[in-house]
Amino acid sequence: MKELSPSLLAADFYDLRSQIEELNETDVKYLHLDVMDGSYVPNISFGPDVINNLRKHTNLIFDTHLMIQNPEKYIDKFVEVGADIISFHPETTLHPNRVVSQIKSKGVKAGIVLNTHTDENVLKYLIQDIDLVLIMSVVPGFGGQKFIPQILEKIKRVRKIIDESGRDIILEVDGGIKLENAKEISDAGCDLLVAGSAIFNKDGISKNVDDFYRVIK
Ligand code: DX5
Ligand code: ZN
């Protein structure tokens, strides 16, 4: 079954409470949390304290996307505040295998993010341990960018790698996903679609979520 992970980055930060309450009433099971450090990516978003506050008001699966240098320094903190999945970019650490073990030793799911320039071969020596692959379909750092069409073929290639591994690994895609392209992304083999600006906009969260599920199921 295909799922949606709304990206909080596109929410109105003045009014998080009402948006989380609205999401809690929809069919959504995941919440995508984009953590940016102003170093790995040229933007700064939010960190563990915000996540800690949100955790008290929702049971959504916290799908945490770290865009930070040296994630190993902060993994324990993100686990402590309630992250359910922690995904990181392998180029942000010297020892990606060690970071995967660190995450999993805390009982949390570990994900590897493939940046737009990252070859999927990086998965070869990580696939045996990970729970999720997150494919970037925009250059990370900002919401509201356009889906890079060449990524569709990459999704199909990664789908094949996952299927051949025989392991239960979620394939997630992030960036520029709208109602108009959601079906072809889902059909290419994506299990979990991230959508920020397409969910938190003026049409209303519940309606947007319902529209997405109609298209991807
Ligand atoms: C980009 C983030 C994405 C982004 C998606 O760095 O990782 O999760 O918020 O936003 P939209 O759906 O607006 O492209
Ligand atoms: Zn993201």
Side-chain angles (χ1 to χ4, degrees), residues 7 9 32-36 63-67 89 113 134 136 140 172 174-175 194:
S7 169
L9 192 65
H32 188 83
L33 299 166
D34 286 305
V35 178
M36 303 177 178
D63 164 29
T64 316
H65 175 192
L66 300 184
M67 285 161 272
H89 291 247
V113 192
L134 171 51
M136 292 310 303
E172 180 176 23
D174 184 7
V194 178

Side-chain angles (χ1 to χ4, degrees), residues 55-141:
R55 186 71 289 175
K56 297 171 193 146
H57 303 288
T58 181
N59 292 320
L60 290 170
I61 299 168
F62 279 1
D63 164 29
T64 316
H65 175 192
L66 300 184
M67 285 161 272
I68 63 176
Q69 298 283 6
N70 305 119
E72 61 276 7
K73 289 188 190 163
Y74 305 97
I75 300 293
D76 293 3
K77 189 67 194 167
F78 284 106
V79 171
E80 195 186 301
V81 297
D84 298 293
I85 303 170
I86 299 180
S87 301
F88 66 97
H89 291 247
E91 59 272 28
T92 57
T93 181
L94 287 176
H95 302 289
N97 285 100
R98 185 170 290 148
V99 178
V100 169
S101 309
Q102 187 185 0
I103 297 169
K104 297 204 64 168
S105 72
K106 304 279 173 184
V108 167
K109 288 193 165 145
I112 286 292
V113 192
L114 301 181
N115 204 331
T116 49
H117 70 277
T118 308
D119 193 295
E120 59 272 15
N121 281 339
V122 74
L123 295 172
K124 189 167 177 191
Y125 298 105
L126 289 160
I127 197 109
Q128 69 278 5
D129 296 316
I130 59 178
D131 303 293
L132 182 145
V133 177
L134 171 51
I135 300 180
M136 292 310 303
S137 41
V138 298
V139 178

Side-chain angles (χ1 to χ4, degrees), residues 151-184:
I151 300 296
L152 265 185
E153 288 305 312
K154 191 177 193 180
I155 297 169
K156 293 178 191 164
R157 292 195 300 272
V158 172
R159 177 79 263 164
K160 197 159 169 277
I161 292 172
I162 290 175
D163 290 347
E164 285 171 3
S165 78
R167 297 197 64 247
D168 190 12
I169 295 173
I170 297 168
L171 199 171
E172 180 176 23
V173 179
D174 184 7
I177 302 184
K178 309 283 171 201
L179 260 189
E180 297 70 39
N181 59 9
K183 185 165 168 32
E184 64 177 338

